[in-house]
Amino acid sequence: METIRNYLDNLFASLPRTAKVSELKNNILSNMEDKYNELKNQGKTENEAIGIVISEFGNIDELISELGINVNSDTYSQPVVTQEEVEDYLKVKKVMGLQIGIGVFLCILAPAFLILSSVMVENGVLFTSLKGDAAYIPGLILMFVLIATAVGIFIFSGMNFERFKFMEEGVSLPMGVAASLKKRHEAFNPTFYLCTIVGVCLLIVSPVTLFVSSMISEEAEDYGIVVLVIIVAIAVFLFISAGTIRESYEKLLQIGDSAPKKKKEDKVIGAVAACVWPLAVAVFLFLGFVYGLWYIAWVIFPIVGILFGMFSAVYSIVTDKNDK
Amino acid sequence: MISSDVIRGYNDTIILYLLLEGESYGYEISKNIKELSEEKYIMKETTLYSAFNRLEANGFIESFFGDETFGKRRTYYRITPTGLAYYKEKCEEWELTKDVINRFIKEWNV
């Protein structure tokens, strides 16, 4: 059997190692293996069996011309992945979507808890035994614990995902897998749209908590802010977890935002995001600690969010135009 | 043994015929060809897989992974409705070809 495998390896050595070719090779090998085993069972000797199997192989040129192999084509330079790898990738990506969703949820929730505890301290509900500013400390600690947990989750899921990173650079999918991925991508659309619609509705409705609570009392208004932030956090969680699953299909199929052209854009926007968001956090902490503006400093996040959204939209449109 | 030049145009038809009964995989098909032709025709691996590739590209057959048997996962093929229509066309073509060629074949009594 080793002889047959070597024979096939040698014949295929000159062909590009694409998904299609390697699948074809595996199929042919399995075919030859079946034949070999049956010949052996019929009482043929090792040499006879190998001889017959190899003589019935045919001509590799026939396959090459049939496949229309073109070594220069772009798809052939992409790494080949197996169906198992694709399944693993989708599984890990789904979990990662949930993890990042939870992490961001915690990050958004963290200032909400700070506001909540500050409000409760001011209203004399919480930590009444602590003197002066010390009463605010538990809220601050809670905020940092939440953020630290979120960062931990980010790092953990990022490390988990490391081995699949290459799959987002564009891969060559085995026959059949691409088709079934397309079907699953489409099948996921209703869920994705539902999550997006619910998320957007939540965002639109969220200010209502402010109006309603301000009608009740000034004290209630402070709690209203907390509810608003929680609603926003839920919406963002929905966007991220549903978006990541959809993205995982699109990355593999190289469509939508993951089409080759879009990738460059992603990188620029990502780089800007990496500067802007930590800066926003720094400003938030600065305003809070130095000026004690905790009650209002959080508006930096929605403001930066909107500005950033505008930037990435404008950037996409401008680069789109340049490409045309 | 038949020369592969003569039979070339009908390899696809032979494979489609064997898929009419139901889905099958590479070795089973090549074994059936050998048995049905009483070992007069043995389809080479490269011919078989070139044909699979061509038939799938034309939408005449579909491939899918079968269940694992003895630790081996096979690629199975099944015929599509377009494939069936193509097969019928080929059958008609063969009837015509046979009729025409027969007119030029002389029976020799050795």
Side-chain angles (χ1 to χ4, degrees), chain A residues 214-275:
Chain A
S214 68
M215 281 194 297
I216 300 171
S217 70
E218 206 158 302
E219 202 175 288
E221 196 183 347
D222 293 332
Y223 292 112
I225 294 172
V226 176
V227 176
L228 178 134
V229 175
I230 292 172
I231 291 176
V232 170
I234 294 171
V236 171
F237 172 76
L238 285 176
F239 290 146
I240 293 176
S241 53
T244 310
I245 295 177
R246 184 179 157 94
E247 187 197 71
S248 65
Y249 294 123
E250 293 186 342
K251 283 255 156 104
L252 288 178
L253 293 166
Q254 297 179 52
I255 53 171
D257 283 347
S258 307
K261 199 182 74 188
K262 274 269 190 178
K263 278 186 203 153
K264 250 190 264 156
E265 207 171 277
D266 270 4
K267 269 187 194 148
V268 175
I269 293 175
V272 174
C275 298

Side-chain angles (χ1 to χ4, degrees), chain A residues 109-137:
Chain A
L109 225 55
F113 274 115
L114 181 66
I115 298 164
L116 182 68
S117 74
S118 319
V119 170
M120 287 168 101
V121 167
E122 273 158 34
N123 294 334
V125 189
L126 215 58
F127 308 126
T128 41
S129 57
L130 293 170
K131 292 249 163 65
D133 280 351
Y136 293 102
I137 298 221

Side-chain angles (χ1 to χ4, degrees), chain A residues 20 24 27-28 30-35 38 55-59 62-63 66-67 83-84 175, chain B residues 25-27 30-31 42-50 53-54 56 65 72-75 77:
Chain A
K20 206 168 184 180
L24 195 63
N27 280 336
I28 292 179
S30 127
N31 202 340
M32 291 171 102
E33 219 167 44
D34 287 341
K35 200 181 274 182
E38 197 162 304
S55 75
E56 288 179 4
F57 171 76
N59 187 350
E62 189 178 5
L63 274 179
E66 186 60 50
L67 289 173
Q83 195 179 14
E84 285 79 10
M175 281 187 266
Chain B
Y25 59 94
Y27 181 59
S30 72
K31 203 170 73 174
I42 293 170
M43 198 181 280
K44 310 269 193 205
E45 254 88 23
T46 52
T47 310
L48 183 67
Y49 283 93
S50 296
N53 187 64
R54 183 170 54 239
E56 192 168 17
F65 285 127
K72 214 158 133 178
R73 204 174 52 169
R74 289 201 167 89
T75 306
Y77 302 90

Side-chain angles (χ1 to χ4, degrees), chain A residues 63-79:
Chain A
L63 274 179
I64 293 174
S65 68
E66 186 60 50
L67 289 173
I69 282 168
N70 174 8
V71 192
N72 297 327
S73 170
D74 190 36
T75 47
Y76 286 113
S77 60
Q78 291 178 338

Side-chain angles (χ1 to χ4, degrees), chain B residues 7-23:
Chain B
I7 213 161
R8 181 169 298 149
Y10 284 87
N11 282 326
D12 293 3
T13 318
I14 292 172
I15 292 168
L16 288 176
Y17 169 79
L18 290 165
L19 289 174
L20 291 177
E21 301 292 315
E23 53 206 44

